[in-house]
Amino acid sequence: MDIVILAVVIAVVVLGALGGLIVGSRRKKQLPPPPPAAPDITAPPAEPHVGDEAETPREEPRRTIEEVDLPDGSAPVVVEEPPAEAPEIEIPEPTAGRLVRLRTRLSRSQNALGKGLLTLLSREHLDEDTWEEIEDTLLTADVGVQPTQELVERLRERVKVLGTRTPEELRTLLREELLTLVGRDMDRAVKTEPEDRKPGIVMVVGVNGTGKTTTTGKLARVLVADGQSVVLGAADTFRAAAADQLQTWGERVGAHTVRGPEAGDPASVAFDAVKEGKEMGANVVLIDTAGRLHTKTGLMDELGKVKRVVEKHAPVDEVLLVLDATTGQNGLVQARVFSEVVDITGIVLTKLDGTAKGGIVVAVQRELGVPVKLIGLGEGADDLAPFEPEAFVDALIGE
């Protein structure tokens, strides 16, 4: 009996504990939030009204659409674009006496030859060692072996006859002998005005890097300064930007430039340039040719082709070979090769104001048998000057 009562008590206690746990867990659970209240729907804002500080609107007369003048649509409205500005045409300085004006620039690097010779000739006793020094001075100045020997022989004879030598007598003596060496009687005029026709045709040839295209542009300035009209033929189609460079030079002085596609046929461009020169009544056509390595026979043959094609119009009046004076005797190799392909009629020596030796004028004339007609004395647009022997020699021997 006691066991039954104990079991009943235990059962009651267990049931009470379970009931307490259930009630506690229910208290811990949160009730779900109440559903949100329905939002208040407000009416859209009313049209703005005049504020307290705003001015009261005034009634103004209004026009109807019938009273407004509208375009009738008969003439379209044209918007005028500003005309493109043509490049300003420059007026080159006259070429007469240009070398005299540039003489100071020339003498800065050239008169070492003349001063060196005057110093040696002024010695009281001119022995064999002194004459050897004179020869060395001439050879160093790129005069060349044969011209040097000739000049030394003439100087020996004249000094022996002269006897006592004053500085002024020596200067006169040296000036005369250098003029004879340079050649005062050579025809140095650029042939641009044939008597029986127009235009005159000038080809400019030479190796790239000698300033060939720049020289062509400067020559156009020389001709324009002398009152001639010029057409430029950009036949150097293989060098990038050569045609652009030449056209820029032409635009500065109002010269028309004929050009073709890049890497096109140079002979075709040259042919068209002469044709347009005839049609325009120009005085001169200047043709800038390709100047790649002169050792490549095929390319030199192409240069000969350009000349032959141009001569279907008319004979070429002048073929100017551009040489870099700073290359000295090495430039004579180029001169020989070009002279075998085309008949060189004149030489243009560029960069003669730098490290070039004045004697190259003598050497290249002896090598080709043709005169130096133009010399370049700087980077300026008007630094290309007709060669004048007297002014050149005076710059060599200094004041």
Side-chain angles (χ1 to χ4, degrees), residues 70-87:
L70 299 175
D72 56 5
S74 58
V77 179
V78 179
V79 180
E80 295 185 359
E81 297 183 358
E85 295 185 2

Side-chain angles (χ1 to χ4, degrees), residues 5 95 102 113 116-117 129 132 160 172 211 224 275 298 332 377 382:
I5 295 172
T95 58
L102 297 173
L113 169 61
L117 292 176
D129 291 338
E132 286 184 6
K160 187 182 298 185
T172 301
V224 169
K275 179 181 177 182
L332 299 184
L377 295 170
D382 293 320

Side-chain angles (χ1 to χ4, degrees), residues 167-232:
E168 190 59 36
E169 288 174 335
L170 283 176
R171 184 179 301 278
T172 301
L173 169 67
L174 186 58
R175 184 178 189 276
E176 291 176 356
E177 291 301 329
L178 287 175
L179 276 175
T180 302
L181 197 64
V182 170
R184 69 174 84 194
D185 299 327
M186 302 181 78
D187 183 6
R188 302 182 187 276
V190 179
K191 304 294 189 299
T192 57
E193 298 180 88
E195 297 179 357
D196 56 341
R197 58 180 168 79
K198 287 174 60 176
I201 303 173
V202 179
M203 284 180 60
V204 183
V205 303
V207 176
N208 282 343
T210 59
K212 178 176 50 60
T213 300
T214 299
T215 296
T216 306
K218 290 182 179 182
L219 179 56
R221 294 179 65 89
V222 168
L223 296 173
V224 169
D226 290 340
Q228 301 190 53
S229 57
V230 178
V231 169
L232 296 170

Side-chain angles (χ1 to χ4, degrees), residues 13-194:
V13 173
V14 170
L15 290 175
L18 290 174
L21 290 173
I22 293 172
V23 172
S25 63
R26 286 182 177 178
R27 288 179 179 176
K28 289 180 180 180
K29 290 183 180 179
Q30 295 181 354
L31 296 176
D40 296 335
I41 300 175
T42 58
E47 293 293 328
H49 299 284
V50 178
D52 295 337
E53 297 180 358
E55 181 182 356
T56 304
R58 294 172 295 180
E59 293 186 0
E60 297 181 355
R62 298 184 178 183
R63 294 185 296 171
T64 64
I65 191 171
E66 291 80 5
E67 298 173 333
V68 177
D69 294 330
L70 299 175
D72 56 5
S74 58
V77 179
V78 179
V79 180
E80 295 185 359
E81 297 183 358
E85 295 185 2
E88 184 179 353
I89 304 299
E90 300 177 11
I91 302 176
E93 64 175 87
T95 58
R98 184 179 288 186
L99 182 56
V100 174
R101 294 193 295 274
L102 297 173
R103 177 176 159 183
T104 302
R105 184 177 303 168
L106 176 64
S107 63
R108 288 174 187 169
S109 59
Q110 304 304 318
N111 60 16
L113 169 61
K115 288 184 176 180
L117 292 176
L118 283 174
T119 300
L120 292 171
L121 291 172
S122 299
R123 291 181 179 177
E124 185 175 354
H125 300 290
L126 297 179
D127 54 17
E128 289 300 320
D129 291 338
T130 302
W131 287 112
E132 286 184 6
E133 288 185 52
I134 292 174
E135 284 189 3
D136 291 341
T137 301
L138 291 168
L139 291 173
T140 303
D142 287 332
V143 172
V145 176
Q146 187 65 31
T148 294
Q149 292 175 349
E150 294 177 8
L151 178 58
V152 170
E153 288 300 320
R154 290 200 302 269
L155 287 173
R156 276 177 176 264
E157 293 178 5
R158 296 196 61 176
V159 168
K160 187 182 298 185
V161 172
L162 188 61
T164 304
R165 306 176 303 279
T166 65
E168 190 59 36
E169 288 174 335
L170 283 176
R171 184 179 301 278
T172 301
L173 169 67
L174 186 58
R175 184 178 189 276
E176 291 176 356
E177 291 301 329
L178 287 175
L179 276 175
T180 302
L181 197 64
V182 170
R184 69 174 84 194
D185 299 327
M186 302 181 78
D187 183 6
R188 302 182 187 276
V190 179
K191 304 294 189 299
T192 57
E193 298 180 88

